[in-house]
Amino acid sequence: MRRLVQIFLPLLIVFFMAQLVIQIKDIEAASYKVGSKGDIVKKIEEKLKALGYFKGNPDNYFGQDTKDAVKRFQRAKGLKVDGIVGSNTLRALGINEGQQSSKPQRTDVNLLARAINGEARGEPYIGQVAVGAVIVNRTRDPRFPKTIAGVIYQPGAFTAVADGQINAKLEPTPQKAANDALNGWDPSGGAIYYYNPAKTTNKWIWSRPVIKRIGKHVFCR
Amino acid sequence: MFNKRSFLAIVVSIIVVGTSTYSFLLYLDRKEFRNYLQGQYQKNLYELISNVEGIQVSLSKSRVTSSPKQALILFSDIWRQASIAQDKLNSLPINHSAIAQTTKFLTQVGDFCFALLKTINSGQSLSEADMNTVDKLTDFAGYLNNELHQLEREISEGNIDWTEIKDAGSSMFRRNLAETVDMKFERIAKELQEYPTLIYDGPFSENVLNIKPRVLKEKEVSLEEAKRIAKKIIGEDRVESISVYSDKTSDKVPAYALSVKVKGRRGDDINIDISKNGGNLIYMLDPREVGKQRIKIEKAVKIGLKFLEDNGYESMIPTYSLKYDNVAVINYVYVQDKVLVYPDQVKLKIALDNGDIVGIEAQHYLIAHTKRNIPKPRITASEARQNVSQKLDIKNVRLTIIPMESLKEVFCYEFYGTYKGEKYLVYINAQDGTEERILKIIDTPNGELTM
């Protein structure tokens, strides 16, 4: 009997914790590490410099020196020392990710930015513009819905819609990428599909003629 | 008093009751949610069917009407129903590759009928060929209608549950279900492939979809040549090295996809595509951060003009600009014999911190640009003014060539005017005085937007 409890009680606790974790993890905050780019990286470096942990010139590239500075900062603040800027370190630095300099005016821009944010956060800038361009290209293809919303919310079309990443916190870069894509920039070269070869098992998509490879994504017709 | 054993028994029963209640509540929640989802999908399916039915009926009616007015109503009905049917079909959880052909059919039927509507509206009568096409399309719409009705029967008999199809792949049973629906649509697709190739005056017409850009006829340049061209555009003294960021390019316009390292910059390489044929610029994007605005938009417009002249884009004028976070996006249009040629446009992104060009979009220009034979306008500007609403207070008139949705180009007078404080552009055909298009200019905090 006692053994039973000893087995079940922890299991149960694990079960309920898992429920909680799943709910919290649903929309996880982005983290920044060596190789990350973007406005937030610059902000991080500026803060670190102001606090005396970072010696270099703040730019928007997270390099080895940035990592070292982050580690020193984390050690001083009693945070987990891993050199990765997650939500805790961001908070300790006093950086609010949600800061937006200006809100896009067209609703399409907003939605497109959200889709790019969910699908291609962390990709190189042109990779983000290309994902936006694929969505725009689809609205002009007779085989697809004609509106941005129709294309993005087509069942099964985008994983970011299925796993809720589309609702994740919007970063500034995807907003710029969305503007560029709607203004006509198309680094994808007229693609209407893209996939991550490391994650896709769909045979059909592999058979499409490849146009380009940008970052982790393959763009095709 | 409780002994240890009974205490444990109570704890265990609390745990058991707790978990089972929790999971039962979860089950109810899930069931309610699934019913709701099934309802939404069913609604889409029924609306799809009733609209396809409507298309078929209106198509067949249009064959027997003798009144152009009636035909107008019928074709606009088909256009509307096709657009709804297309939307509903693409809201169902079916593999896209299975419904692509059916979607294309619905899009083209709607687009084709809209083109017929415009023909009738301009006072012309439909050709024999057009009526034959309508005949054939009626048959295909009928076929699609039958198949969808059969699908609906299977679903209402309870053989198909959309929510299970949505999770396709998680079990053998579900996979089979998804495959039956997919296969059904694949069979429909095969049948629909036979519908006539539609050539008409609209954006989804087969000839518009298959346009081969003129640039493909130009001579191929080598990679080294392309790098040299890229270097010149970005600035000889700024470039540290150039590499290829993607070697595969089975693009409409095949290109060298180049990545440029900039001197004194870490990361943030500039990407630039140069066409293999002719070595023309397709696009450029510099993802660098742009600091505080130090220069005015007017200055940026001039910087852009100078840049275009230096890079072989001659006789361009700025038409509008938008501002996002310290970057100006400026649109330049080609002018030939004092006529604005809107299809030949280049967009520049100019950083307002130091006036660098941080983006170029030249693909539209590359595909459209050519030396055109611009005729003399057959009517004068004041004659054209007669066809513009008297309510508009006209501020400016100029001659333009505008692209229609079907990529056809139309020679027009552009009237810029205001009504009740709002700005409009009205385009009057310079040959026959038809009002071709009205654009409204909307003021946004980013600049003026034409819609």
Side-chain angles (χ1 to χ4, degrees), chain B residues 61-329:
Chain B
K61 281 187 197 163
S62 74
R63 294 182 298 182
V64 294
T65 176
S66 62
S67 130
K69 279 179 194 157
Q70 185 66 26
L72 266 185
I73 293 170
L74 288 170
F75 286 128
S76 64
D77 241 1
I78 299 167
W79 175 49
R80 180 181 59 86
Q81 286 166 328
S83 145
I84 298 173
Q86 207 255 31
D87 177 54
K88 299 298 168 191
L89 176 62
N90 282 280
S91 305
L92 291 172
I94 309 169
N95 216 333
H96 181 258
S97 56
I99 53 170
Q101 183 67 22
T102 313
T103 307
K104 186 177 172 190
F105 173 74
L106 291 170
T107 308
Q108 284 196 328
V109 168
D111 199 30
F112 173 69
C113 287
F114 188 62
L116 295 186
L117 190 157
K118 280 191 288 189
T119 311
I120 299 172
N121 198 24
S122 67
Q124 298 165 35
S125 53
L126 300 181
S127 69
E128 196 61 33
D130 284 341
M131 284 326 285
N132 280 337
T133 312
V134 169
D135 247 359
K136 284 182 192 136
L137 290 179
T138 314
D139 294 345
F140 281 98
Y143 165 77
L144 183 59
N145 188 19
N146 278 340
E147 292 291 314
L148 289 175
H149 269 290
Q150 204 191 323
L151 179 69
E152 184 269 328
R153 263 198 305 281
E154 282 169 32
I155 288 174
S156 60
E157 280 163 15
N159 295 333
I160 292 169
D161 182 349
W162 289 114
T163 54
E164 305 227 311
I165 292 172
K166 193 183 127 296
D167 311 326
S170 41
S171 82
M172 203 54 206
F173 172 64
R174 286 172 186 171
R175 200 173 302 152
N176 283 341
L177 266 180
E179 266 166 20
T180 48
V181 176
D182 280 3
M183 265 152 53
K184 195 163 192 65
F185 274 96
E186 268 155 24
R187 212 181 52 238
I188 295 174
K190 229 170 248 155
E191 201 63 35
L192 284 185
Q193 253 159 21
E194 310 289 317
Y195 80 81
T197 307
L198 298 180
I199 308 238
Y200 54 90
D201 182 22
F204 298 113
S205 165
E206 212 63 47
N207 59 333
V208 173
L209 295 173
N210 294 325
I211 285 179
K212 289 255 177 298
R214 262 186 302 270
V215 60
L216 296 183
K217 291 196 191 108
E218 287 183 38
K219 224 179 98 215
E220 260 196 47
V221 299
S222 69
L223 175 60
E224 288 318 305
E225 179 73 8
K227 282 185 180 174
R228 207 184 52 72
I229 293 164
K231 202 168 178 176
K232 183 175 173 288
I233 291 167
I234 290 167
E236 308 273 350
D237 45 341
R238 292 176 65 207
V239 176
E240 190 174 303
S241 64
I242 301 183
S243 56
V244 172
Y245 72 85
S246 173
D247 51 354
K248 293 236 173 70
T249 43
S250 74
D251 190 354
K252 219 174 185 178
V253 183
Y256 294 108
L258 306 175
S259 187
V260 178
K261 255 201 171 21
V262 181
K263 276 182 194 161
R265 211 198 270 184
R266 218 167 18 149
D268 282 353
D269 292 351
I270 298 177
N271 293 100
I272 181 165
D273 277 18
I274 304 288
S275 73
K276 286 188 177 162
N277 303 87
N280 295 294
L281 172 67
I282 296 176
Y283 87 92
M284 183 276 261
L285 270 176
D286 178 353
R288 82 161 166 93
E289 274 306 287
V290 176
K292 280 216 178 67
Q293 176 171 0
R294 288 213 187 76
I295 58 173
K296 287 207 174 98
I297 297 261
E298 292 75 28
K299 176 92 189 298
V301 168
K302 280 187 193 129
I303 293 172
L305 267 181
K306 169 112 189 6
F307 173 83
L308 290 173
E309 271 167 28
D310 292 348
N311 285 283
Y313 298 92
E314 274 152 20
S315 156
M316 305 288 284
I317 63 160
T319 52
Y320 69 88
S321 68
L322 295 165
K323 202 187 128 207
Y324 307 97
D325 308 322
N326 304 330
V327 175
V329 176

Side-chain angles (χ1 to χ4, degrees), chain A residues 32-134:
Chain A
Y32 303 89
K33 48 181 182 280
V34 174
S36 298
K37 286 177 197 164
D39 328 84
I40 301 230
V41 174
K42 189 168 183 182
K43 257 185 220 156
I44 292 167
E45 292 184 348
E46 277 167 354
K47 280 275 177 187
L48 286 169
K49 188 166 175 131
L51 295 167
Y53 294 96
F54 185 67
K55 301 276 177 282
N57 267 334
D59 55 13
N60 46 16
Y61 183 78
F62 199 120
Q64 188 58 41
D65 49 346
T66 325
K67 184 180 174 182
D68 294 340
V70 170
K71 275 184 170 173
R72 281 194 289 277
F73 174 76
Q74 288 172 328
R75 213 168 287 131
K77 293 286 164 196
L79 295 159
K80 195 174 148 217
V81 184
D82 53 5
I84 296 169
V85 181
S87 47
N88 284 336
T89 312
L90 272 183
R91 213 171 303 129
L93 280 166
I95 295 173
N96 179 7
E97 276 187 279
Q99 276 175 4
Q100 291 162 19
S101 39
S102 73
K103 286 235 161 61
Q105 296 306 314
R106 285 176 280 184
T107 40
D108 274 356
V109 175
N110 243 327
L111 179 58
L112 191 61
R114 288 213 159 272
I116 297 172
N117 193 48
E119 286 277 316
R121 218 170 351 155
E123 284 290 300
Y125 184 68
I126 53 157
Q128 299 191 13
V129 180
V131 164
V134 166

Side-chain angles (χ1 to χ4, degrees), chain A:
Chain A
M1 185 71 196
R2 176 175 298 172
R3 179 154 298 162
L4 218 64
V5 175
Q6 275 172 349
I7 295 168
F8 274 107
L9 203 61
L11 271 179
L12 207 73
I13 292 171
V14 168
F15 173 72
F16 282 112
M17 291 300 280
Q19 292 289 331
L20 266 178
V21 171
I22 287 170
Q23 274 168 16
I24 293 168
K25 246 201 87 143
D26 243 2
I27 297 161
E28 62 176 15
S31 63
Y32 303 89
K33 48 181 182 280
V34 174
S36 298
K37 286 177 197 164
D39 328 84
I40 301 230
V41 174
K42 189 168 183 182
K43 257 185 220 156
I44 292 167
E45 292 184 348
E46 277 167 354
K47 280 275 177 187
L48 286 169
K49 188 166 175 131
L51 295 167
Y53 294 96
F54 185 67
K55 301 276 177 282
N57 267 334
D59 55 13
N60 46 16
Y61 183 78
F62 199 120
Q64 188 58 41
D65 49 346
T66 325
K67 184 180 174 182
D68 294 340
V70 170
K71 275 184 170 173
R72 281 194 289 277
F73 174 76
Q74 288 172 328
R75 213 168 287 131
K77 293 286 164 196
L79 295 159
K80 195 174 148 217
V81 184
D82 53 5
I84 296 169
V85 181
S87 47
N88 284 336
T89 312
L90 272 183
R91 213 171 303 129
L93 280 166
I95 295 173
N96 179 7
E97 276 187 279
Q99 276 175 4
Q100 291 162 19
S101 39
S102 73
K103 286 235 161 61
Q105 296 306 314
R106 285 176 280 184
T107 40
D108 274 356
V109 175
N110 243 327
L111 179 58
L112 191 61
R114 288 213 159 272
I116 297 172
N117 193 48
E119 286 277 316
R121 218 170 351 155
E123 284 290 300
Y125 184 68
I126 53 157
Q128 299 191 13
V129 180
V131 164
V134 166
I135 294 170
V136 174
N137 289 342
R138 284 191 180 184
T139 63
R140 297 183 188 136
D141 188 299
R143 291 165 297 173
F144 286 92
K146 289 196 197 90
T147 60
I148 299 273
V151 167
I152 290 176
Y153 288 109
Q154 180 171 25
F158 295 99
T159 45
V161 174
D163 64 15
Q165 282 292 331
I166 191 167
N167 303 317
K169 208 172 252 176
L170 192 53
E171 287 183 24
T173 328
Q175 299 189 28
K176 285 187 201 161
N179 273 323
D180 280 349
L182 281 175
N183 277 327
W185 269 267
D186 182 5
S188 80
I192 51 168
Y193 301 101
Y194 65 85
Y195 60 94
N196 183 341
K199 286 186 184 160
T200 305
T201 50
N202 186 335
K203 275 190 209 122
W204 179 82
I205 197 95
W206 283 87
S207 68
R208 313 298 306 164
V210 173
I211 298 179
K212 255 187 197 173
R213 221 192 142 104
I214 306 172
K216 286 196 207 98
H217 288 135
V218 171
F219 292 83
C220 51
R221 253 181 305 170

